[in-house]
Amino acid sequence: MKKSVLLMIPLLLASCTKQNTEVKITDKDSLSGETHSAVKPKDSVASSENRDSLKVSATNKMGEAVKIIDAEKLPSTIDQTFDDKIQKLIIRIPNYSKSKLHGVITPKNNNMNVRFNQIKLSDGTYDGPFGRDISYDIKGKGEIWLIIGKDLMAEGENTGQFSVTID
């Protein structure tokens, strides 16, 4: 009896694991048709703002969009549209090695209810909430997540266009 229980535990654990269902796309996010771009560093010689395409993955779980930015391409700007009241944006930055992270959300409509809800650090801990600006001291190297969404304690429009600049 004990042997059969011990054999069933690994089977139960294997059957309960969750599979990752991210879909890789290149230029457009199928959730709302916005474009994604990365701005070259400020010391670039070019006079106009140059943009490169980002590695983007989109999932449609409860209206969330996931963007992946290479840490070497910072500073970067992401244009996003929220057209669903429960939508959120997750910006993943793998291999982040700087000691400070700074980000700004700029909505097209100043009355839009959007903010940095949380930051997930490389050690798996979370911090937040924040406002439309974030300036955070990063203690370890690794993947950083910025989670952007509406402020449940504030009023304002939940839909609209905005951009997020990270450096």
Side-chain angles (χ1 to χ4, degrees):
M1 175 75 178
K2 290 182 183 180
K3 290 182 182 180
S4 63
V5 171
L6 291 175
L7 291 173
M8 291 182 68
I9 290 174
L11 292 174
L12 288 173
L13 290 175
S15 68
C16 293
T17 59
K18 184 178 175 184
Q19 291 183 346
N20 192 354
T21 59
E22 292 184 352
V23 178
K24 303 288 183 192
I25 57 178
T26 55
D27 286 349
K28 299 257 181 178
D29 186 339
S30 62
L31 293 176
S32 59
E34 68 275 1
T35 59
H36 315 286
S37 57
V39 179
K40 289 191 177 179
K42 293 177 185 175
D43 58 282
S44 176
V45 194
S47 60
S48 64
E49 189 174 84
N50 295 319
R51 294 180 179 235
D52 299 325
S53 61
L54 294 175
K55 182 182 199 184
V56 176
S57 61
T59 59
N60 197 1
K61 295 183 260 178
M62 299 289 291
E64 77 182 28
V66 179
K67 315 289 187 211
I68 301 171
I69 301 175
D70 186 1
E72 294 177 5
K73 297 213 179 217
L74 294 178
S76 295
T77 298
I78 296 173
D79 297 319
Q80 180 70 35
T81 301
F82 280 179
D83 54 9
D84 188 339
K85 291 184 180 185
I86 59 170
Q87 193 169 18
K88 68 180 175 180
L89 170 65
I90 300 173
I91 300 172
R92 294 174 47 190
I93 309 169
N95 301 322
Y96 192 81
S97 60
K98 295 180 183 177
S99 63
K100 191 161 194 96
L101 180 115
H102 180 71
V104 177
I105 299 173
T106 309
K108 292 211 176 188
N109 176 3
N110 248 358
N111 195 30
M112 186 175 179
N113 180 355
V114 63
R115 71 169 180 182
F116 288 101
N117 285 337
Q118 289 184 313
I119 184 171
K120 180 182 176 188
L121 302 171
S122 59
D123 63 359
T125 59
Y126 289 83
D127 196 4
F130 305 96
R132 289 188 182 170
D133 295 329
I134 185 172
S135 188
Y136 201 87
D137 292 327
I138 307 294
K139 294 180 176 65
K141 297 178 182 181
E143 184 170 83
I144 304 295
W145 290 20
L146 293 172
I147 303 169
I148 299 168
K150 66 181 180 176
D151 183 350
L152 298 175
M153 302 298 288
E155 294 181 2
E157 296 179 27
N158 294 321
T159 60
Q161 297 177 345
F162 62 94
S163 61
V164 182
T165 303
I166 302 167
D167 55 0

